[in-house]
Amino acid sequence: MSFDAEKEISKLLGDLHMAQSEIGRTYFRWRKTALELAGPKANPLDVSLKAAEIIGAELGKAALPRLNWLKGEEVWMRSLAGGIAMQWIMGGAIVRIDKGQSPNEIFIKWERCPWPTYAKEYGVKMEEDVLVCDRILQSILPDVNAFFNVNYKIETQKAIPRGQGVCLRRLYKA
C-alpha cells in the first residue's frame, strides 16, 4: 500500500478544523445549558463573563511555568503574548505578535477568529463575544502579575465582532 503524504496531511488538517469547531460550539452549548439551568432571570452576559474569568484565571496559572523572567522583560513579555496567541491559534484563529513602540508594550493581532461565527450561530450578541474575550485576557494577568511582581494590562483597540476587520490588543506595562 502506498502512502500519499499530501492526502494524509489534508485529512489531518480537516480533522483539526473539525475539532476546533467542536471546541467553539461546545462552549456555546455549555452557555445555553447554563442559562437554561439558571432560569429566565439569569443575565446571559453575567454567566458568560463569570465563565471567562474562570477560563482566564486557569490559563494564567497554566502560563506560569512557561514564562522565564531571566531572559529580560522584553523577551518575557513576548513569551507571555505568544502564549496568549497560542491559545487562540489552537482554537482556529490566525494570530500574530507585533512589537510596540516601546519595550514595555506588545500588540497581539487576531487576523481571523472563528469565535464570532460560533457566537452568531448560537444567537449571542457580537458585543458579548468581545467582552468575553476581553475578560478572558484580563483574567490571565492577575496571577502572572502577582507571581512576577509586575503590573501588566491588556486593552482592546479593535475587534472583529465590532466590524473592525481584526482584533487588536495592546499588552503593556502599567
Side-chain angles (χ1 to χ4, degrees), residues 5 15 26-28 37 42 47-48 53 60 69-71 79 89 103 120-121 130-131 142 156-157 160 166 169-170 174:
D15 290 348
T26 296
Y27 170 82
F28 286 102
L37 290 172
V47 170
S48 294
E53 286 176 17
W69 189 261
L70 299 176
K71 294 185 178 183
S79 176
I89 290 168
K120 195 177 220 181
E121 287 176 12
V130 174
L131 295 174
T156 297
Q157 296 186 332
I160 292 169
V166 298
R169 268 82 182 208
R170 177 180 172 243

Side-chain angles (χ1 to χ4, degrees), residues 27-167:
Y27 170 82
F28 286 102
R29 290 176 191 132
W30 161 86
R31 179 188 176 278
K32 183 178 178 181
T33 302
L35 287 170
E36 286 179 14
L37 290 172
K41 293 184 180 182
N43 180 335
L45 181 59
D46 290 343
V47 170
S48 294
L49 291 177
K50 183 60 181 173
E53 286 176 17
I54 293 167
I55 292 166
E58 289 184 7
L59 291 174
K61 284 179 180 64
L64 293 176
R66 293 176 195 69
L67 296 172
N68 186 347
W69 189 261
L70 299 176
K71 294 185 178 183
E73 189 169 9
E74 192 172 349
V75 172
W76 181 87
M77 189 177 213
R78 189 166 181 79
S79 176
L80 175 60
I84 290 170
M86 189 53 62
Q87 289 297 320
W88 271 262
I89 290 168
M90 289 187 304
I94 295 174
V95 187
R96 72 176 216 217
I97 306 300
D98 292 326
K99 283 186 173 187
Q101 294 182 357
S102 78
N104 293 326
E105 74 176 358
I106 197 161
F107 291 92
I108 309 168
K109 184 177 183 182
W110 283 251
E111 295 177 339
R112 184 181 69 95
C113 185
W115 286 83
T117 301
Y118 307 141
K120 195 177 220 181
E121 287 176 12
Y122 284 84
V124 175
K125 294 177 182 175
M126 289 294 98
E127 189 60 20
E128 180 177 322
D129 185 58
V130 174
L131 295 174
V132 166
C133 192
D134 286 350
R135 184 67 58 93
I136 290 171
L137 293 165
Q138 292 160 359
S139 297
I140 289 171
L141 295 177
D143 286 333
V144 171
N145 284 340
F147 190 81
F148 289 97
N149 194 30
V150 293
N151 186 20
Y152 286 98
K153 305 270 184 203
I154 192 163
E155 65 184 20
T156 297
Q157 296 186 332
K158 293 182 181 182
I160 292 169
R162 292 180 178 150
Q164 296 170 314
V166 298
C167 288

